[in-house]
Amino acid sequence: MANYPDIEMYIDGHWKAASGQPVINPADESVLGTVPTASIADLDDALAAAENGFAVWRNTSPAKRAQVILKAAALIRERVNEMAVAMTLEQGKPIEQARLEILRGCDIIEWDASEGVRLYGRVIPSEPGMRHTVLRQPIGPVAAFSPWNFPMSSPARKVAGALSSGCSIILKASEETPAGAVQLVRAFHDAGLPAGVLNLVFGNPAEISEYLIPQSRIKLITFTGSIPVGKHLAEMAGRYMKPAIMELGGHAPVIVCDDVDPAATAGTSVIGKSRNAGQVCVAPTRFFVQESIYEHFAQSFAEKAKQLKVGNGLDPSIQMGPLANARGIDAMETLVADAKAKGARVLAGGHRIGNRGYFFPLTVLADLPDDARAMNEEPFGPLALVNPVKTLDEAIEKANCLPYGLAGYAFTRSAGNADRLADGLEVGNLSINHFVASVAETPFGGVKDSGYGREGGTEGLQCYTVAKNVSHKMM
Ligand code: NAD
């Protein structure tokens, strides 16, 4: 299809085509192309390449490494428009959101590259005649697994973290949205990255993870995806004593205090909730609104949700695209039916739009009982759940009641409230009065079942290094 690139694997500096499965456009269910399936021989080639690539890259000066990485980011910036079209075709998000994702991916790559030259160790004050020096060394070849909801920025986080720290990487990107990763890798190839430092494979996710994780050449696992799969991969990593970065699901609470403008906050919430059709691990989902502004907030939210223009993301006037796959439609229908049966009010949306393309409107449900499935299972789609609370303490208790702990949000003008929320909410990322959960320079990741390890910021880069203490007695 025009505008959609050929999907190939990239192993040891060479592109490799192979037969595989179709890539589907979620806006019209047409076939965009074919994603290859890696054989065991391909994975063995990638492992050998990553080992050789690591030997080259760890011995490349940090300044030279940064030059190559920054050049790749510059190429991506030049190519942002063509990349955005491919991303909207395969994933569905509105074209402007696709552009922003790619530019954000560049921010991450550039920040990591610039920080990679400052991965300082420490000299620890010690007794005379002794020097303890902590070296920060790249951990080694990384096996990375990225999801379908952010086809470019999620792989970019993993590739930038690994490469900026001096590691090599085998990336197994999403088979459902592969073009983002292919175009990312192409930029690194064109920027002159040495062969073997970055390798890209596709195929059967379970077979690939089960083959790569136990390999002694792989020193770190990084996975972004669902909690059940993350737990399975973490168990495997543990069995082989591999450290892991696990960026898993969330069910983000949003606490709306009665000192804010309910209509304005509802407007901001519609934008935050509809981003990528709610298919975001940090999507705002459980809104706990103080009673005195509850009905005003809920009605404004519903009104604005109904005004959203939903359609094919290639149309620049569209504000929310289709869900990325048919599984999403089934999940939304099941959760809405369950909530309605348990007494929730449907204030907006609730039904699939049309029957070609995976379109589902922004759906606002109010007054959900605690046992509604949507209140307990991550919807990963355009469902907003609005419930009243009396006090801030009640809101914090409800926010913390699930095993999830990725992002949380709050709206308040009170520094006192903000302080209590910062103290009390069990999340890895709290955003107050806005919906941006992370930027390139801040650490991002979860607590509880939402995972461990961090991506982004200095904390993120440190995950790709080991601290080696050299204790030197002077002679
Ligand atoms: P899923 O559990 O089937 O798959 C999630 C991701 O893991 C996919 O990218 C898939 O290719 C990969 N995967 C599955 N089994 C694997 C294995 N054995 N080894 C390696 N990778 C494997 O769920 P889904 O239907 O694709 O997505 C929906 C759920 O996934 C959501 O509920 C959400 O929690 C989660 N998800 C989270 C993120 C995130 O950013 N944290 C991103 C995408 C999906």
Side-chain angles (χ1 to χ4, degrees):
M1 151 132 204
N3 298 327
Y4 195 74
D6 288 339
I7 304 300
E8 294 178 325
M9 296 183 285
Y10 182 73
I11 299 171
D12 203 17
H14 300 288
W15 292 96
K16 182 170 181 197
S19 58
Q21 49 179 302
V23 183
I24 305 295
N25 180 341
D28 60 13
E29 302 176 41
S30 63
V31 174
L32 293 166
T34 303
V35 62
T37 298
S39 63
I40 293 296
D42 292 327
L43 298 180
D44 284 338
D45 288 347
L47 283 161
E51 187 177 35
N52 295 335
F54 179 54
V56 172
W57 196 236
R58 71 172 307 184
N59 290 314
T60 302
S61 78
K64 174 73 188 154
R65 291 199 297 244
Q67 251 175 27
V68 175
I69 300 168
L70 290 171
K71 173 132 192 249
L75 290 172
I76 295 169
R77 286 191 188 277
E78 281 172 20
R79 300 171 185 176
V80 60
N81 290 335
E82 79 184 80
M83 288 176 69
V85 170
M87 188 188 292
T88 295
L89 283 169
E90 68 180 10
Q91 204 271 342
K93 67 185 60 173
I95 189 80
E96 187 51 25
Q97 288 185 31
R99 273 174 47 80
L100 289 175
E101 176 183 336
I102 294 160
L103 296 175
R104 181 167 170 267
C106 289
D107 292 345
I108 290 167
I109 296 168
E110 288 158 356
W111 194 89
D112 280 6
S114 310
E115 189 67 8
V117 300
R118 290 190 283 269
L119 275 180
Y120 306 129
R122 276 189 306 152
V123 178
I124 298 174
S126 36
E127 62 189 273
M130 181 72 87
R131 184 175 298 143
H132 301 303
T133 310
V134 182
L135 305 178
R136 279 266 160 210
Q137 296 186 318
I139 194 166
V142 176
F145 301 87
S146 62
W148 46 262
N149 57 339
F150 287 101
M152 187 275 181
S153 64
S154 182
R157 268 196 188 284
K158 299 179 189 310
V159 169
L163 268 49
S164 301
S165 320
C167 300
S168 60
I169 183 167
I170 301 174
L171 170 65
K172 203 288 299 165
S174 167
E175 291 71 27
E176 291 177 295
T177 59
V182 166
Q183 291 165 319
L184 172 77
V185 170
R186 194 172 294 285
F188 279 92
H189 173 85
D190 295 347
L193 188 73
V197 178
L198 168 59
N199 305 277
L200 174 66
V201 295
F202 298 102
N204 179 315
E207 279 174 22
I208 295 179
S209 58
E210 265 153 48
Y211 193 73
L212 291 183
I213 291 174
Q215 301 286 336
S216 59
R217 288 183 278 202
I218 293 297
K219 304 297 190 221
L220 173 74
I221 317 302
T222 167
F223 171 75
T224 299
S226 64
I227 289 173
V229 175
K231 285 186 172 174
H232 172 63
L233 299 192
E235 268 176 33
M236 218 187 317
R239 209 176 310 141
Y240 294 93
M241 205 49 77
K242 307 282 168 79
I245 303 166
M246 289 285 155
E247 204 272 87
L248 309 178
H251 203 314
V254 184
I255 295 176
V256 183
C257 297
D258 56 12
D259 58 357
V260 300
D261 176 340
T265 308
T268 310
S269 301
V270 165
I271 296 168
K273 181 72 232 185
S274 60
R275 177 174 161 245
N276 204 9
Q279 302 162 115
V280 187
C281 50
V282 296
T285 298
R286 291 175 297 145
F287 290 78
F288 298 111
V289 186
Q290 281 196 295
E291 273 176 354
S292 67
I293 59 165
Y294 172 63
E295 204 53 43
H296 189 168
F297 175 86
Q299 294 302 337
S300 303
F301 200 146
E303 241 168 68
K304 292 183 168 91
K306 287 178 194 161
Q307 288 161 14
L308 268 187
K309 205 168 160 198
V310 181
N312 188 326
L314 289 179
D315 172 347
S317 70
I318 287 301
Q319 293 165 296
M320 194 169 87
L323 301 187
N325 51 53
R327 299 190 298 287
I329 295 285
D330 292 343
M332 293 314 105
E333 286 177 340
T334 305
L335 293 178
V336 171
D338 172 79
K340 275 168 73 174
K342 288 177 177 148
R345 283 187 288 157
V346 182
L347 300 185
H351 294 285
R352 180 178 185 171
I353 304 170
N355 56 12
R356 192 168 171 77
Y358 311 127
F359 295 100
F360 202 90
L362 181 46
T363 295
V364 183
L365 303 176
D367 304 338
L368 295 99
D370 289 346
D371 67 347
R373 282 181 58 182
M375 289 296 288
N376 297 280
E377 299 168 26
E378 179 184 21
F380 219 66
L383 291 195
L385 318 173
V386 188
N387 272 349
V389 284
K390 283 191 172 40
T391 64
L392 195 57
D393 285 340
E394 183 191 351
I396 293 174
E397 194 188 317
K398 291 202 154 155
N400 289 343
C401 77
L402 298 184
Y404 301 90
L406 192 56
Y409 306 92
F411 286 80
T412 180
R413 291 175 183 281
S414 152
N417 284 351
D419 194 52
R420 278 169 64 197
L421 288 157
D423 228 30
L425 281 182
E426 295 167 357
V427 294
N429 293 76
L430 169 63
S431 301
I432 298 174
N433 298 334
H434 70 99
F435 280 116
V436 179
S438 72
V439 290
E441 60 270 33
T442 56
F444 172 65
V447 296
K448 304 201 285 190
D449 277 5
S450 293
Y452 43 71
R454 291 294 179 263
E455 297 196 299
T458 48
E459 290 85 350
L461 281 193
Q462 297 225 331
C463 292
Y464 290 88
T465 69
V466 279
K468 180 188 280 177
N469 187 53
V470 179
S471 188
H472 184 173
K473 187 169 181 176
M474 305 301 155
M475 294 180 70

